[in-house]
Amino acid sequence: MFDKIAEKTKEALYLDPGMHIESNRELFIENCRRIEEYNEVFMKLVSGHLCIQIWGSGLKAYDFKTKGLIVRGRISQIEFIERNGRRNAQSAERMRKD
């Protein structure tokens, strides 16, 4: 029941990511919380319950302070991976111990 309430709250507050893609040259991501990895060919971003991975060439990040992010460059691939919060942290911790 708590999960349903949390999802409704996220929807009401627009905490899930929203995206606007302009050709393969620009991507605007709303509610981007964190940049985990960043170089000219790969970016890994956290936005709500999603991890967003972007591949391309000449990638650059702009305007992060507005709780959104603009990515410019030649974008070749975008991948969305669902994050499970605690489960991901516990799995990562187990892998470090092994």
Side-chain angles (χ1 to χ4, degrees), residues 47-58:
S47 182
H49 69 282
L50 288 177
C51 176
I52 303 166
Q53 296 182 343
I54 304 164
W55 286 270
S57 60

Side-chain angles (χ1 to χ4, degrees), residues 1-11 13 15 84-87:
M1 181 164 163
F2 179 74
D3 290 336
K4 289 181 183 179
I5 293 170
E7 283 299 314
K8 293 293 182 189
T9 303
K10 282 182 188 178
E11 289 173 12
L13 297 174
L15 296 176
N84 294 331
R86 278 186 164 169
R87 288 186 206 156

Side-chain angles (χ1 to χ4, degrees), residues 12-65:
L13 297 174
Y14 302 103
L15 296 176
D16 283 334
M19 289 183 215
H20 176 76
I21 300 172
E22 227 176 273
S23 184
N24 68 333
R25 295 293 189 161
E26 185 172 277
L27 171 65
F28 175 68
I29 304 167
E30 295 176 297
N31 297 317
C32 182
R33 298 285 180 226
R34 184 171 66 241
I35 299 172
E36 288 194 345
E37 285 185 52
Y38 173 24
N39 60 50
E40 289 185 1
V41 296
F42 177 73
M43 286 189 188
K44 185 175 182 180
L45 314 170
V46 174
S47 182
H49 69 282
L50 288 177
C51 176
I52 303 166
Q53 296 182 343
I54 304 164
W55 286 270
S57 60
L59 299 177
K60 293 186 180 185
Y62 297 92
D63 204 21
F64 185 65
K65 62 185 170 191

